[in-house]
Amino acid sequence: MKNPDKFPNADTIEAIEELEKGGGFKFEGTTEELFAVLTES
């Protein structure tokens, strides 16, 4: 039997493929700066 924790789900696979194609969001900075960006409205 396969352990589901060791295999990525469909959402994770999609995210990995997006990153491999150069997409996604790359952030360089502190954790505080990241959370400030993520909570901007």
Side-chain angles (χ1 to χ4, degrees):
M1 180 185 299
K2 292 183 180 182
N3 183 344
D5 294 334
K6 292 188 178 188
F7 298 95
N9 64 24
D11 290 334
T12 303
I13 292 170
E14 183 179 336
I16 291 169
E17 289 173 348
E18 178 182 349
L19 292 173
E20 288 175 343
K21 293 177 183 173
F25 174 76
K26 181 177 180 179
F27 180 81
E28 294 183 19
T30 67
T31 304
E32 289 177 353
E33 293 168 333
L34 173 61
F35 279 100
V37 170
L38 295 174
T39 57
E40 287 179 355
S41 38

PDB file of all heavy atoms in Angstrom:
ATOM      1  N   MET A   1       0.852  -1.186   0.000  1.00  0.00           N
ATOM      2  CA  MET A   1       0.000   0.000   0.000  1.00  0.00           C
ATOM      3  C   MET A   1       0.895   1.247   0.000  1.00  0.00           C
ATOM      4  O   MET A   1       1.868   1.331   0.727  1.00  0.00           O
ATOM      5  CB  MET A   1      -0.890  -0.021   1.240  1.00  0.00           C
ATOM      6  CG  MET A   1      -1.793   1.185   1.306  1.00  0.00           C
ATOM      7  SD  MET A   1      -2.795   1.337   2.815  1.00  0.00           S
ATOM      8  CE  MET A   1      -3.753  -0.128   2.754  1.00  0.00           C
ATOM      9  N   LYS A   2       0.532   2.215  -0.784  1.00  0.00           N
ATOM     10  CA  LYS A   2       1.284   3.469  -0.865  1.00  0.00           C
ATOM     11  C   LYS A   2       0.956   4.352   0.328  1.00  0.00           C
ATOM     12  O   LYS A   2      -0.169   4.397   0.797  1.00  0.00           O
ATOM     13  CB  LYS A   2       0.945   4.219  -2.145  1.00  0.00           C
ATOM     14  CG  LYS A   2       1.430   3.536  -3.394  1.00  0.00           C
ATOM     15  CD  LYS A   2       1.107   4.383  -4.608  1.00  0.00           C
ATOM     16  CE  LYS A   2       1.609   3.695  -5.858  1.00  0.00           C
ATOM     17  NZ  LYS A   2       1.349   4.498  -7.050  1.00  0.00           N
ATOM     18  N   ASN A   3       1.976   5.054   0.804  1.00  0.00           N
ATOM     19  CA  ASN A   3       1.782   6.017   1.878  1.00  0.00           C
ATOM     20  C   ASN A   3       1.448   7.362   1.245  1.00  0.00           C
ATOM     21  O   ASN A   3       2.289   7.964   0.585  1.00  0.00           O
ATOM     22  CB  ASN A   3       3.054   6.111   2.720  1.00  0.00           C
ATOM     23  CG  ASN A   3       2.900   7.047   3.892  1.00  0.00           C
ATOM     24  OD1 ASN A   3       1.990   7.857   3.951  1.00  0.00           O
ATOM     25  ND2 ASN A   3       3.801   6.928   4.844  1.00  0.00           N
ATOM     26  N   PRO A   4       0.230   7.888   1.450  1.00  0.00           N
ATOM     27  CA  PRO A   4      -0.162   9.147   0.786  1.00  0.00           C
ATOM     28  C   PRO A   4       0.696  10.339   1.182  1.00  0.00           C
ATOM     29  O   PRO A   4       0.774  11.313   0.462  1.00  0.00           O
ATOM     30  CB  PRO A   4      -1.611   9.349   1.214  1.00  0.00           C
ATOM     31  CG  PRO A   4      -1.805   8.486   2.405  1.00  0.00           C
ATOM     32  CD  PRO A   4      -0.812   7.360   2.297  1.00  0.00           C
ATOM     33  N   ASP A   5       1.360  10.260   2.338  1.00  0.00           N
ATOM     34  CA  ASP A   5       2.212  11.376   2.767  1.00  0.00           C
ATOM     35  C   ASP A   5       3.495  11.471   1.963  1.00  0.00           C
ATOM     36  O   ASP A   5       4.195  12.461   2.013  1.00  0.00           O
ATOM     37  CB  ASP A   5       2.567  11.235   4.247  1.00  0.00           C
ATOM     38  CG  ASP A   5       1.347  11.384   5.144  1.00  0.00           C
ATOM     39  OD1 ASP A   5       0.388  12.055   4.726  1.00  0.00           O
ATOM     40  OD2 ASP A   5       1.371  10.833   6.252  1.00  0.00           O
ATOM     41  N   LYS A   6       3.839  10.441   1.208  1.00  0.00           N
ATOM     42  CA  LYS A   6       5.093  10.432   0.462  1.00  0.00           C
ATOM     43  C   LYS A   6       4.900  10.780  -1.010  1.00  0.00           C
ATOM     44  O   LYS A   6       5.854  10.832  -1.757  1.00  0.00           O
ATOM     45  CB  LYS A   6       5.759   9.065   0.574  1.00  0.00           C
ATOM     46  CG  LYS A   6       6.236   8.775   1.974  1.00  0.00           C
ATOM     47  CD  LYS A   6       7.050   7.521   2.039  1.00  0.00           C
ATOM     48  CE  LYS A   6       7.551   7.301   3.448  1.00  0.00           C
ATOM     49  NZ  LYS A   6       8.499   6.207   3.525  1.00  0.00           N
ATOM     50  N   PHE A   7       3.661  11.021  -1.428  1.00  0.00           N
ATOM     51  CA  PHE A   7       3.370  11.328  -2.820  1.00  0.00           C
ATOM     52  C   PHE A   7       2.606  12.645  -2.908  1.00  0.00           C
ATOM     53  O   PHE A   7       1.640  12.849  -2.182  1.00  0.00           O
ATOM     54  CB  PHE A   7       2.549  10.202  -3.455  1.00  0.00           C
ATOM     55  CG  PHE A   7       3.273   8.888  -3.462  1.00  0.00           C
ATOM     56  CD1 PHE A   7       3.077   7.957  -2.462  1.00  0.00           C
ATOM     57  CD2 PHE A   7       4.185   8.601  -4.469  1.00  0.00           C
ATOM     58  CE1 PHE A   7       3.770   6.759  -2.458  1.00  0.00           C
ATOM     59  CE2 PHE A   7       4.878   7.397  -4.480  1.00  0.00           C
ATOM     60  CZ  PHE A   7       4.676   6.474  -3.465  1.00  0.00           C
ATOM     61  N   PRO A   8       3.049  13.556  -3.784  1.00  0.00           N
ATOM     62  CA  PRO A   8       2.364  14.855  -3.883  1.00  0.00           C
ATOM     63  C   PRO A   8       0.962  14.708  -4.460  1.00  0.00           C
ATOM     64  O   PRO A   8       0.714  13.862  -5.325  1.00  0.00           O
ATOM     65  CB  PRO A   8       3.266  15.654  -4.825  1.00  0.00           C
ATOM     66  CG  PRO A   8       4.021  14.634  -5.603  1.00  0.00           C
ATOM     67  CD  PRO A   8       4.163  13.438  -4.707  1.00  0.00           C
ATOM     68  N   ASN A   9       0.057  15.561  -3.978  1.00  0.00           N
ATOM     69  CA  ASN A   9      -1.296  15.563  -4.528  1.00  0.00           C
ATOM     70  C   ASN A   9      -1.328  16.402  -5.809  1.00  0.00           C
ATOM     71  O   ASN A   9      -0.322  16.982  -6.217  1.00  0.00           O
ATOM     72  CB  ASN A   9      -2.305  16.063  -3.483  1.00  0.00           C
ATOM     73  CG  ASN A   9      -2.078  17.499  -3.080  1.00  0.00           C
ATOM     74  OD1 ASN A   9      -1.502  18.290  -3.817  1.00  0.00           O
ATOM     75  ND2 ASN A   9      -2.533  17.859  -1.892  1.00  0.00           N
ATOM     76  N   ALA A  10      -2.476  16.474  -6.434  1.00  0.00           N
ATOM     77  CA  ALA A  10      -2.612  17.170  -7.717  1.00  0.00           C
ATOM     78  C   ALA A  10      -2.236  18.651  -7.619  1.00  0.00           C
ATOM     79  O   ALA A  10      -1.597  19.195  -8.522  1.00  0.00           O
ATOM     80  CB  ALA A  10      -4.032  17.017  -8.248  1.00  0.00           C
ATOM     81  N   ASP A  11      -2.609  19.308  -6.524  1.00  0.00           N
ATOM     82  CA  ASP A  11      -2.279  20.731  -6.357  1.00  0.00           C
ATOM     83  C   ASP A  11      -0.768  20.943  -6.260  1.00  0.00           C
ATOM     84  O   ASP A  11      -0.224  21.887  -6.832  1.00  0.00           O
ATOM     85  CB  ASP A  11      -2.943  21.298  -5.100  1.00  0.00           C
ATOM     86  CG  ASP A  11      -4.445  21.419  -5.232  1.00  0.00           C
ATOM     87  OD1 ASP A  11      -4.936  21.545  -6.374  1.00  0.00           O
ATOM     88  OD2 ASP A  11      -5.128  21.413  -4.191  1.00  0.00           O
ATOM     89  N   THR A  12      -0.109  20.055  -5.542  1.00  0.00           N
ATOM     90  CA  THR A  12       1.343  20.163  -5.401  1.00  0.00           C
ATOM     91  C   THR A  12       2.041  19.913  -6.725  1.00  0.00           C
ATOM     92  O   THR A  12       2.973  20.628  -7.096  1.00  0.00           O
ATOM     93  CB  THR A  12       1.850  19.177  -4.326  1.00  0.00           C
ATOM     94  OG1 THR A  12       1.180  19.460  -3.094  1.00  0.00           O
ATOM     95  CG2 THR A  12       3.352  19.287  -4.140  1.00  0.00           C
ATOM     96  N   ILE A  13       1.589  18.924  -7.460  1.00  0.00           N
ATOM     97  CA  ILE A  13       2.164  18.626  -8.778  1.00  0.00           C
ATOM     98  C   ILE A  13       1.996  19.826  -9.701  1.00  0.00           C
ATOM     99  O   ILE A  13       2.928  20.224 -10.405  1.00  0.00           O
ATOM    100  CB  ILE A  13       1.528  17.362  -9.381  1.00  0.00           C
ATOM    101  CG1 ILE A  13       1.950  16.137  -8.565  1.00  0.00           C
ATOM    102  CG2 ILE A  13       1.911  17.202 -10.850  1.00  0.00           C
ATOM    103  CD1 ILE A  13       1.199  14.870  -8.920  1.00  0.00           C
ATOM    104  N   GLU A  14       0.823  20.431  -9.687  1.00  0.00           N
ATOM    105  CA  GLU A  14       0.567  21.615 -10.518  1.00  0.00           C
ATOM    106  C   GLU A  14       1.508  22.761 -10.140  1.00  0.00           C
ATOM    107  O   GLU A  14       2.057  23.447 -11.010  1.00  0.00           O
ATOM    108  CB  GLU A  14      -0.888  22.052 -10.347  1.00  0.00           C
ATOM    109  CG  GLU A  14      -1.283  23.218 -11.221  1.00  0.00           C
ATOM    110  CD  GLU A  14      -2.737  23.613 -11.047  1.00  0.00           C
ATOM    111  OE1 GLU A  14      -3.562  22.772 -10.630  1.00  0.00           O
ATOM    112  OE2 GLU A  14      -3.047  24.772 -11.330  1.00  0.00           O
ATOM    113  N   ALA A  15       1.718  22.966  -8.844  1.00  0.00           N
ATOM    114  CA  ALA A  15       2.613  24.041  -8.383  1.00  0.00           C
ATOM    115  C   ALA A  15       4.057  23.768  -8.803  1.00  0.00           C
ATOM    116  O   ALA A  15       4.764  24.678  -9.241  1.00  0.00           O
ATOM    117  CB  ALA A  15       2.515  24.174  -6.871  1.00  0.00           C
ATOM    118  N   ILE A  16       4.489  22.528  -8.689  1.00  0.00           N
ATOM    119  CA  ILE A  16       5.844  22.166  -9.096  1.00  0.00           C
ATOM    120  C   ILE A  16       6.033  22.406 -10.590  1.00  0.00           C
ATOM    121  O   ILE A  16       7.045  22.970 -11.020  1.00  0.00           O
ATOM    122  CB  ILE A  16       6.147  20.698  -8.726  1.00  0.00           C
ATOM    123  CG1 ILE A  16       6.240  20.548  -7.206  1.00  0.00           C
ATOM    124  CG2 ILE A  16       7.444  20.219  -9.394  1.00  0.00           C
ATOM    125  CD1 ILE A  16       6.264  19.111  -6.727  1.00  0.00           C
ATOM    126  N   GLU A  17       5.060  22.007 -11.386  1.00  0.00           N
ATOM    127  CA  GLU A  17       5.143  22.210 -12.839  1.00  0.00           C
ATOM    128  C   GLU A  17       5.193  23.690 -13.183  1.00  0.00           C
ATOM    129  O   GLU A  17       5.925  24.108 -14.078  1.00  0.00           O
ATOM    130  CB  GLU A  17       3.971  21.525 -13.533  1.00  0.00           C
ATOM    131  CG  GLU A  17       4.078  20.004 -13.498  1.00  0.00           C
ATOM    132  CD  GLU A  17       2.837  19.303 -14.022  1.00  0.00           C
ATOM    133  OE1 GLU A  17       1.783  19.954 -14.219  1.00  0.00           O
ATOM    134  OE2 GLU A  17       2.929  18.076 -14.224  1.00  0.00           O
ATOM    135  N   GLU A  18       4.420  24.511 -12.471  1.00  0.00           N
ATOM    136  CA  GLU A  18       4.432  25.955 -12.705  1.00  0.00           C
ATOM    137  C   GLU A  18       5.824  26.523 -12.434  1.00  0.00           C
ATOM    138  O   GLU A  18       6.353  27.325 -13.214  1.00  0.00           O
ATOM    139  CB  GLU A  18       3.411  26.637 -11.803  1.00  0.00           C
ATOM    140  CG  GLU A  18       3.394  28.150 -11.945  1.00  0.00           C
ATOM    141  CD  GLU A  18       2.413  28.833 -11.007  1.00  0.00           C
ATOM    142  OE1 GLU A  18       1.579  28.142 -10.388  1.00  0.00           O
ATOM    143  OE2 GLU A  18       2.489  30.060 -10.887  1.00  0.00           O
ATOM    144  N   LEU A  19       6.422  26.108 -11.318  1.00  0.00           N
ATOM    145  CA  LEU A  19       7.761  26.600 -10.971  1.00  0.00           C
ATOM    146  C   LEU A  19       8.805  26.138 -11.977  1.00  0.00           C
ATOM    147  O   LEU A  19       9.709  26.892 -12.332  1.00  0.00           O
ATOM    148  CB  LEU A  19       8.149  26.129  -9.565  1.00  0.00           C
ATOM    149  CG  LEU A  19       7.342  26.746  -8.435  1.00  0.00           C
ATOM    150  CD1 LEU A  19       7.690  26.070  -7.118  1.00  0.00           C
ATOM    151  CD2 LEU A  19       7.566  28.236  -8.358  1.00  0.00           C
ATOM    152  N   GLU A  20       8.682  24.910 -12.454  1.00  0.00           N
ATOM    153  CA  GLU A  20       9.636  24.384 -13.434  1.00  0.00           C
ATOM    154  C   GLU A  20       9.560  25.146 -14.758  1.00  0.00           C
ATOM    155  O   GLU A  20      10.537  25.204 -15.494  1.00  0.00           O
ATOM    156  CB  GLU A  20       9.399  22.897 -13.656  1.00  0.00           C
ATOM    157  CG  GLU A  20       9.844  22.041 -12.479  1.00  0.00           C
ATOM    158  CD  GLU A  20       9.500  20.571 -12.625  1.00  0.00           C
ATOM    159  OE1 GLU A  20       8.639  20.218 -13.465  1.00  0.00           O
ATOM    160  OE2 GLU A  20      10.089  19.766 -11.881  1.00  0.00           O
ATOM    161  N   LYS A  21       8.404  25.740 -15.044  1.00  0.00           N
ATOM    162  CA  LYS A  21       8.220  26.515 -16.272  1.00  0.00           C
ATOM    163  C   LYS A  21       8.577  27.989 -16.074  1.00  0.00           C
ATOM    164  O   LYS A  21       8.371  28.811 -16.954  1.00  0.00           O
ATOM    165  CB  LYS A  21       6.773  26.404 -16.750  1.00  0.00           C
ATOM    166  CG  LYS A  21       6.401  25.013 -17.198  1.00  0.00           C
ATOM    167  CD  LYS A  21       4.940  24.944 -17.587  1.00  0.00           C
ATOM    168  CE  LYS A  21       4.565  23.511 -17.968  1.00  0.00           C
ATOM    169  NZ  LYS A  21       3.132  23.376 -18.188  1.00  0.00           N
ATOM    170  N   GLY A  22       9.107  28.327 -14.903  1.00  0.00           N
ATOM    171  CA  GLY A  22       9.522  29.702 -14.642  1.00  0.00           C
ATOM    172  C   GLY A  22       8.456  30.574 -14.023  1.00  0.00           C
ATOM    173  O   GLY A  22       8.658  31.774 -13.848  1.00  0.00           O
ATOM    174  N   GLY A  23       7.320  30.014 -13.702  1.00  0.00           N
ATOM    175  CA  GLY A  23       6.250  30.791 -13.089  1.00  0.00           C
ATOM    176  C   GLY A  23       6.420  30.852 -11.586  1.00  0.00           C
ATOM    177  O   GLY A  23       7.450  30.474 -11.036  1.00  0.00           O
ATOM    178  N   GLY A  24       5.388  31.330 -10.943  1.00  0.00           N
ATOM    179  CA  GLY A  24       5.406  31.386  -9.493  1.00  0.00           C
ATOM    180  C   GLY A  24       5.922  32.708  -8.965  1.00  0.00           C
ATOM    181  O   GLY A  24       6.132  33.664  -9.705  1.00  0.00           O
ATOM    182  N   PHE A  25       6.112  32.744  -7.682  1.00  0.00           N
ATOM    183  CA  PHE A  25       6.503  33.960  -6.988  1.00  0.00           C
ATOM    184  C   PHE A  25       7.758  33.662  -6.183  1.00  0.00           C
ATOM    185  O   PHE A  25       7.765  32.776  -5.336  1.00  0.00           O
ATOM    186  CB  PHE A  25       5.366  34.397  -6.056  1.00  0.00           C
ATOM    187  CG  PHE A  25       5.693  35.561  -5.170  1.00  0.00           C
ATOM    188  CD1 PHE A  25       5.725  36.835  -5.682  1.00  0.00           C
ATOM    189  CD2 PHE A  25       5.948  35.378  -3.835  1.00  0.00           C
ATOM    190  CE1 PHE A  25       6.014  37.919  -4.861  1.00  0.00           C
ATOM    191  CE2 PHE A  25       6.240  36.445  -2.999  1.00  0.00           C
ATOM    192  CZ  PHE A  25       6.268  37.726  -3.515  1.00  0.00           C
ATOM    193  N   LYS A  26       8.832  34.387  -6.450  1.00  0.00           N
ATOM    194  CA  LYS A  26      10.066  34.221  -5.692  1.00  0.00           C
ATOM    195  C   LYS A  26      10.263  35.459  -4.846  1.00  0.00           C
ATOM    196  O   LYS A  26      10.250  36.581  -5.354  1.00  0.00           O
ATOM    197  CB  LYS A  26      11.256  34.032  -6.632  1.00  0.00           C
ATOM    198  CG  LYS A  26      12.553  33.824  -5.884  1.00  0.00           C
ATOM    199  CD  LYS A  26      13.708  33.557  -6.815  1.00  0.00           C
ATOM    200  CE  LYS A  26      14.979  33.351  -6.030  1.00  0.00           C
ATOM    201  NZ  LYS A  26      16.114  33.055  -6.888  1.00  0.00           N
ATOM    202  N   PHE A  27      10.422  35.244  -3.578  1.00  0.00           N
ATOM    203  CA  PHE A  27      10.588  36.362  -2.656  1.00  0.00           C
ATOM    204  C   PHE A  27      11.956  36.293  -2.014  1.00  0.00           C
ATOM    205  O   PHE A  27      12.392  35.240  -1.559  1.00  0.00           O
ATOM    206  CB  PHE A  27       9.518  36.333  -1.568  1.00  0.00           C
ATOM    207  CG  PHE A  27       9.643  37.465  -0.598  1.00  0.00           C
ATOM    208  CD1 PHE A  27       9.141  38.703  -0.912  1.00  0.00           C
ATOM    209  CD2 PHE A  27      10.290  37.298   0.609  1.00  0.00           C
ATOM    210  CE1 PHE A  27       9.271  39.771  -0.048  1.00  0.00           C
ATOM    211  CE2 PHE A  27      10.430  38.352   1.498  1.00  0.00           C
ATOM    212  CZ  PHE A  27       9.918  39.588   1.170  1.00  0.00           C
ATOM    213  N   GLU A  28      12.629  37.417  -1.970  1.00  0.00           N
ATOM    214  CA  GLU A  28      13.905  37.517  -1.271  1.00  0.00           C
ATOM    215  C   GLU A  28      13.781  38.623  -0.244  1.00  0.00           C
ATOM    216  O   GLU A  28      13.604  39.780  -0.593  1.00  0.00           O
ATOM    217  CB  GLU A  28      15.038  37.810  -2.260  1.00  0.00           C
ATOM    218  CG  GLU A  28      15.284  36.673  -3.231  1.00  0.00           C
ATOM    219  CD  GLU A  28      16.459  36.932  -4.161  1.00  0.00           C
ATOM    220  OE1 GLU A  28      17.290  37.796  -3.846  1.00  0.00           O
ATOM    221  OE2 GLU A  28      16.516  36.262  -5.198  1.00  0.00           O
ATOM    222  N   GLY A  29      13.837  38.253   0.992  1.00  0.00           N
ATOM    223  CA  GLY A  29      13.729  39.223   2.074  1.00  0.00           C
ATOM    224  C   GLY A  29      13.515  38.501   3.381  1.00  0.00           C
ATOM    225  O   GLY A  29      13.618  37.283   3.465  1.00  0.00           O
ATOM    226  N   THR A  30      13.166  39.268   4.390  1.00  0.00           N
ATOM    227  CA  THR A  30      12.954  38.691   5.712  1.00  0.00           C
ATOM    228  C   THR A  30      11.551  38.103   5.806  1.00  0.00           C
ATOM    229  O   THR A  30      10.670  38.392   4.976  1.00  0.00           O
ATOM    230  CB  THR A  30      13.109  39.755   6.809  1.00  0.00           C
ATOM    231  OG1 THR A  30      12.028  40.702   6.681  1.00  0.00           O
ATOM    232  CG2 THR A  30      14.438  40.456   6.748  1.00  0.00           C
ATOM    233  N   THR A  31      11.347  37.303   6.825  1.00  0.00           N
ATOM    234  CA  THR A  31      10.016  36.740   7.072  1.00  0.00           C
ATOM    235  C   THR A  31       9.009  37.852   7.315  1.00  0.00           C
ATOM    236  O   THR A  31       7.882  37.799   6.808  1.00  0.00           O
ATOM    237  CB  THR A  31      10.062  35.791   8.282  1.00  0.00           C
ATOM    238  OG1 THR A  31      11.055  34.795   8.055  1.00  0.00           O
ATOM    239  CG2 THR A  31       8.726  35.123   8.519  1.00  0.00           C
ATOM    240  N   GLU A  32       9.402  38.865   8.056  1.00  0.00           N
ATOM    241  CA  GLU A  32       8.503  39.997   8.318  1.00  0.00           C
ATOM    242  C   GLU A  32       8.105  40.681   7.022  1.00  0.00           C
ATOM    243  O   GLU A  32       6.940  41.053   6.834  1.00  0.00           O
ATOM    244  CB  GLU A  32       9.158  40.991   9.264  1.00  0.00           C
ATOM    245  CG  GLU A  32       9.286  40.480  10.683  1.00  0.00           C
ATOM    246  CD  GLU A  32       9.998  41.466  11.597  1.00  0.00           C
ATOM    247  OE1 GLU A  32      10.520  42.490  11.110  1.00  0.00           O
ATOM    248  OE2 GLU A  32      10.034  41.199  12.812  1.00  0.00           O
ATOM    249  N   GLU A  33       9.058  40.873   6.112  1.00  0.00           N
ATOM    250  CA  GLU A  33       8.760  41.517   4.831  1.00  0.00           C
ATOM    251  C   GLU A  33       7.830  40.634   3.986  1.00  0.00           C
ATOM    252  O   GLU A  33       6.923  41.145   3.323  1.00  0.00           O
ATOM    253  CB  GLU A  33      10.047  41.799   4.069  1.00  0.00           C
ATOM    254  CG  GLU A  33      10.916  42.854   4.732  1.00  0.00           C
ATOM    255  CD  GLU A  33      12.313  42.944   4.150  1.00  0.00           C
ATOM    256  OE1 GLU A  33      12.838  41.945   3.612  1.00  0.00           O
ATOM    257  OE2 GLU A  33      12.903  44.035   4.245  1.00  0.00           O
ATOM    258  N   LEU A  34       8.045  39.325   4.037  1.00  0.00           N
ATOM    259  CA  LEU A  34       7.174  38.410   3.289  1.00  0.00           C
ATOM    260  C   LEU A  34       5.739  38.509   3.782  1.00  0.00           C
ATOM    261  O   LEU A  34       4.806  38.640   2.995  1.00  0.00           O
ATOM    262  CB  LEU A  34       7.675  36.973   3.409  1.00  0.00           C
ATOM    263  CG  LEU A  34       6.756  35.913   2.800  1.00  0.00           C
ATOM    264  CD1 LEU A  34       6.574  36.129   1.305  1.00  0.00           C
ATOM    265  CD2 LEU A  34       7.299  34.529   3.095  1.00  0.00           C
ATOM    266  N   PHE A  35       5.550  38.464   5.092  1.00  0.00           N
ATOM    267  CA  PHE A  35       4.199  38.551   5.622  1.00  0.00           C
ATOM    268  C   PHE A  35       3.564  39.903   5.326  1.00  0.00           C
ATOM    269  O   PHE A  35       2.351  39.986   5.111  1.00  0.00           O
ATOM    270  CB  PHE A  35       4.168  38.234   7.126  1.00  0.00           C
ATOM    271  CG  PHE A  35       4.165  36.759   7.401  1.00  0.00           C
ATOM    272  CD1 PHE A  35       5.347  36.113   7.755  1.00  0.00           C
ATOM    273  CD2 PHE A  35       3.010  36.002   7.266  1.00  0.00           C
ATOM    274  CE1 PHE A  35       5.365  34.753   7.996  1.00  0.00           C
ATOM    275  CE2 PHE A  35       3.024  34.641   7.487  1.00  0.00           C
ATOM    276  CZ  PHE A  35       4.200  34.017   7.867  1.00  0.00           C
ATOM    277  N   ALA A  36       4.336  40.956   5.291  1.00  0.00           N
ATOM    278  CA  ALA A  36       3.809  42.266   4.928  1.00  0.00           C
ATOM    279  C   ALA A  36       3.290  42.248   3.489  1.00  0.00           C
ATOM    280  O   ALA A  36       2.220  42.787   3.191  1.00  0.00           O
ATOM    281  CB  ALA A  36       4.883  43.350   5.099  1.00  0.00           C
ATOM    282  N   VAL A  37       4.039  41.609   2.584  1.00  0.00           N
ATOM    283  CA  VAL A  37       3.610  41.499   1.187  1.00  0.00           C
ATOM    284  C   VAL A  37       2.349  40.637   1.087  1.00  0.00           C
ATOM    285  O   VAL A  37       1.402  40.985   0.376  1.00  0.00           O
ATOM    286  CB  VAL A  37       4.739  40.897   0.318  1.00  0.00           C
ATOM    287  CG1 VAL A  37       4.230  40.542  -1.073  1.00  0.00           C
ATOM    288  CG2 VAL A  37       5.901  41.872   0.227  1.00  0.00           C
ATOM    289  N   LEU A  38       2.326  39.526   1.809  1.00  0.00           N
ATOM    290  CA  LEU A  38       1.190  38.604   1.722  1.00  0.00           C
ATOM    291  C   LEU A  38      -0.088  39.181   2.311  1.00  0.00           C
ATOM    292  O   LEU A  38      -1.187  38.790   1.902  1.00  0.00           O
ATOM    293  CB  LEU A  38       1.535  37.286   2.420  1.00  0.00           C
ATOM    294  CG  LEU A  38       2.651  36.464   1.788  1.00  0.00           C
ATOM    295  CD1 LEU A  38       2.973  35.265   2.657  1.00  0.00           C
ATOM    296  CD2 LEU A  38       2.285  36.033   0.379  1.00  0.00           C
ATOM    297  N   THR A  39       0.026  40.101   3.251  1.00  0.00           N
ATOM    298  CA  THR A  39      -1.166  40.659   3.895  1.00  0.00           C
ATOM    299  C   THR A  39      -1.592  41.995   3.312  1.00  0.00           C
ATOM    300  O   THR A  39      -2.554  42.584   3.798  1.00  0.00           O
ATOM    301  CB  THR A  39      -0.957  40.794   5.420  1.00  0.00           C
ATOM    302  OG1 THR A  39       0.199  41.610   5.666  1.00  0.00           O
ATOM    303  CG2 THR A  39      -0.759  39.425   6.066  1.00  0.00           C
ATOM    304  N   GLU A  40      -0.890  42.472   2.279  1.00  0.00           N
ATOM    305  CA  GLU A  40      -1.300  43.715   1.613  1.00  0.00           C
ATOM    306  C   GLU A  40      -2.647  43.505   0.944  1.00  0.00           C
ATOM    307  O   GLU A  40      -2.922  42.468   0.392  1.00  0.00           O
ATOM    308  CB  GLU A  40      -0.286  44.135   0.553  1.00  0.00           C
ATOM    309  CG  GLU A  40       0.986  44.687   1.096  1.00  0.00           C
ATOM    310  CD  GLU A  40       1.969  45.058  -0.001  1.00  0.00           C
ATOM    311  OE1 GLU A  40       1.695  44.791  -1.188  1.00  0.00           O
ATOM    312  OE2 GLU A  40       3.034  45.596   0.333  1.00  0.00           O
ATOM    313  N   SER A  41      -3.476  44.557   1.014  1.00  0.00           N
ATOM    314  CA  SER A  41      -4.772  44.437   0.315  1.00  0.00           C
ATOM    315  C   SER A  41      -4.905  45.411  -0.802  1.00  0.00           C
ATOM    316  O   SER A  41      -4.104  46.175  -1.115  1.00  0.00           O
ATOM    317  CB  SER A  41      -5.922  44.628   1.300  1.00  0.00           C
ATOM    318  OG  SER A  41      -5.685  45.603   2.256  1.00  0.00           O
TER     319      SER A  41
END
